[in-house]
Amino acid sequence: MPELYDVITMGRIGVDLYPLQTGLPLARVETFGKFLGGSPTNVAVAAARLGRRTAVVTRTGRDAFGEYLHHQLREFGVDDRWVTPVDAYPTPVTFCEIFPPDDFPLYFYRQPKAPDLEIHESELDLDAVRSARVFWMTGTGLCAEPSRTATLAALRARDRSGITVFDLDWRPMFWDTAEPAPGSRPTARYREVLAHATVAVGNLDECEIATGEREPYAAARSLIAAGVELAVVKQGPKGVLAVRRDGTVADVPPLPVEVVNGLGAGDAFGGALCHGLLAGWETERIMRYANAAGAIVASRLACSSAMPFPYEVEAALTEGAVTSRPTGATP
């Protein structure tokens, strides 16, 4: 029998190099902090911080940055057994600029190809993927082969068992959209995967790519019509909308927070979403908890190392806002 994981995520990993000075363009920044990055990897970290047994399926370069990522995963309590090296490509690096409260440009260095897009179907532990209580995959994993085929193989192995989350994760710079064949267009790829997922989560831009709908309720209804049981539409400063197939609706406002860096908030939300779903909470409680986790990370500089512990989320919910930052969180 395979070991049982609460959450297995699959997809992007890399090194985040974040300025230790806010409000400056990269050309003027002199010091950076180095952190583990990549959305599905950060989701695994976030869920681990909340007490869940997690693992990530991904690939790095066979280089010093790859070694660093293994070390960080172990430090955060994330199983790295399915994180394997690729000789041909370097570990990706991502820079950002920090202009609070809502401008955080990202600069991805994933050329000529990111190792995490070299996940092969033959390398997957499909028994582990099938038995995980939550399997989390992302839209980025559909943008290139062999990752696309491997992702679909993992989804077919699960056959909609347990909780299968499709993080819509639309990153247009990763897709080759130069006159693609109709079946390979992003929307077509997303539609194919929605039929295998039980939960879909994304912001308004991502929902529009997946469904053609931008109005939150219309987007949620379209995601459910495409096959999922729960549609989660993140609306930024307007909060989050969750709609279940049975008609349950939770429209939850954001938790007040003084934003330092908003880039990791969605990943904290994702880890907390997994935690709440596994706990069997009612929909509104899950959304409030996930909102609070995201707000805490938005109040901090980093992403992975900023993921909150349960007592921090509970404190934010009790206070009704993220009212303080830990020492050293502000550059």
Side-chain angles (χ1 to χ4, degrees), residues 62-130:
R62 193 184 295 275
D63 51 28
F65 276 155
E67 293 176 10
Y68 165 76
L69 294 175
H70 276 280
H71 173 77
Q72 287 293 287
L73 287 168
R74 294 167 190 154
E75 284 286 307
F76 290 131
V78 178
D79 195 323
D80 66 343
R81 69 180 63 191
W82 298 303
V83 182
T84 58
V86 176
D87 291 324
Y89 304 120
T91 299
V93 173
T94 302
F95 289 88
C96 78
E97 293 176 320
I98 300 177
F99 298 102
D102 57 4
D103 187 19
F104 308 100
L106 281 168
Y107 303 86
F108 293 98
Y109 291 80
R110 291 169 59 87
Q111 299 298 328
K113 187 179 184 181
D116 55 60
L117 295 175
E118 282 291 299
I119 301 172
H120 292 262
E121 178 181 357
S122 61
E123 299 166 338
L124 296 177
D125 185 338
L126 292 178
D127 287 337
V129 168
R130 187 181 297 111

